[in-house]
Amino acid sequence: LTEIQWSAKHQVRGFPKAAKGSNRSRGDVLDDYLRKLLKFWTGRGGHAGSSETSPVVRFIKAAARPVIPGLKASTVSHFVRDG
């Protein structure tokens, strides 16, 4: 994930915003990064619960913290629900 982390981190700093199908405030690379974290979680047998206190939401928040420091549980929860 190192390359996508780098790209996502730079997109947070003002790279072009997302295309169709993505949240307007997040770029495509950031959505791809969150999607890969979700896929990593579910690929290892984890349940993709959409509650703000679910293990997958806590995992994604913790894993994405270096790249997206202000990521909120509600944002991740909505992402999991829509993803």
Side-chain angles (χ1 to χ4, degrees), residues 7-47:
S7 185
K9 192 169 194 169
H10 287 292
Q11 197 171 70
V12 168
R13 295 182 187 154
F15 274 52
K17 297 300 176 192
K20 182 181 175 187
S22 185
N23 183 301
R24 291 179 63 181
S25 63
R26 286 190 311 267
D28 291 331
V29 173
L30 291 176
D31 269 2
D32 287 345
Y33 180 56
L34 295 176
R35 199 170 291 112
K36 285 184 186 285
L37 292 173
L38 178 59
K39 187 175 180 180
F40 178 85
W41 177 265
T42 58
R44 278 140 187 86
H47 173 67

Side-chain angles (χ1 to χ4, degrees), residues 41-79:
W41 177 265
T42 58
R44 278 140 187 86
H47 173 67
S50 59
S51 165
E52 291 184 21
T53 58
S54 72
V56 67
V57 170
R58 291 193 312 260
F59 165 75
I60 291 174
K61 276 189 62 185
R65 185 170 292 132
V67 176
I68 315 169
L71 187 62
K72 298 177 182 176
S74 60
T75 302
V76 177
S77 175
H78 288 125
F79 181 83

